[in-house]
Amino acid sequence: MNNAIGSFFTSAVLDSTSRITNIDGGYICLDKNELPFDIPDEVKSRVALALCQREWCRYPSAGGEEVEHLIGEWLDMPGDCVVAAPGAAQIIVSLLSYFALSGRPITIAQPSYSLFNYYCKTYGINYRRWMLTTQLEYDLDSFPDQSPGSVYPPQQPHLFISSPC
């Protein structure tokens, strides 16, 4: 087994054959980016204190530009290269709305968020799956043919690589 994968995922996650897995008597949904453990109390306390020190009479920015900028600084990259949202679902829906309107096809690395499949079918988006190996690695030999006329129309297809884990 790949050491990087083995050190990142618990054996319960690696051995799972379902998107819902029982870990230590509790269940996590692997396709919803849930953690198998709770956030430490120290982190919760720091967040609560920061919230108490802010004004509550104003709406927060809906776009998240301040958070994106701070994350960009932390990553040493421009803030406009970062997209922050209250969850993956909002980003997935926004991206797929663009592809639905543009008629452009996509390839989606799998396994991934179940919303990709649902919204591609809902919006009528031409897409193909690129399955990872059983070791959750990318296999270029199994990458779907992207050439015009293969399955896709002549437009340039796009690829989504995302990880709900």
Side-chain angles (χ1 to χ4, degrees), residues 92-93 95-97 99-100 104-108 110 113-129 160:
I92 290 170
V93 170
L95 286 170
L96 294 181
S97 295
F99 286 98
R104 298 182 78 168
I106 58 176
T107 296
I108 303 169
Q110 296 284 322
Y113 295 95
S114 58
L115 286 176
F116 276 119
N117 184 52
Y118 174 79
Y119 279 105
C120 283
K121 288 180 178 179
T122 300
Y123 291 159
I125 297 170
N126 183 10
Y127 77 102
R128 293 183 69 187
R129 292 183 176 102
F160 283 112

Side-chain angles (χ1 to χ4, degrees), residues 57-133:
C57 57
R58 305 281 179 250
Y59 286 110
S61 169
E65 293 85 5
E66 181 182 356
V67 171
E68 292 169 350
H69 177 74
L70 291 171
I71 293 171
E73 280 183 7
W74 182 66
L75 295 172
D76 196 27
M77 64 186 332
D80 60 357
C81 292
V82 176
V83 176
Q90 182 176 343
I91 294 173
I92 290 170
V93 170
S94 295
L95 286 170
L96 294 181
S97 295
Y98 163 78
F99 286 98
L101 293 172
S102 70
R104 298 182 78 168
I106 58 176
T107 296
I108 303 169
Q110 296 284 322
S112 189
Y113 295 95
S114 58
L115 286 176
F116 276 119
N117 184 52
Y118 174 79
Y119 279 105
C120 283
K121 288 180 178 179
T122 300
Y123 291 159
I125 297 170
N126 183 10
Y127 77 102
R128 293 183 69 187
R129 292 183 176 102
W130 178 28
M131 299 305 294
L132 301 181
T133 67

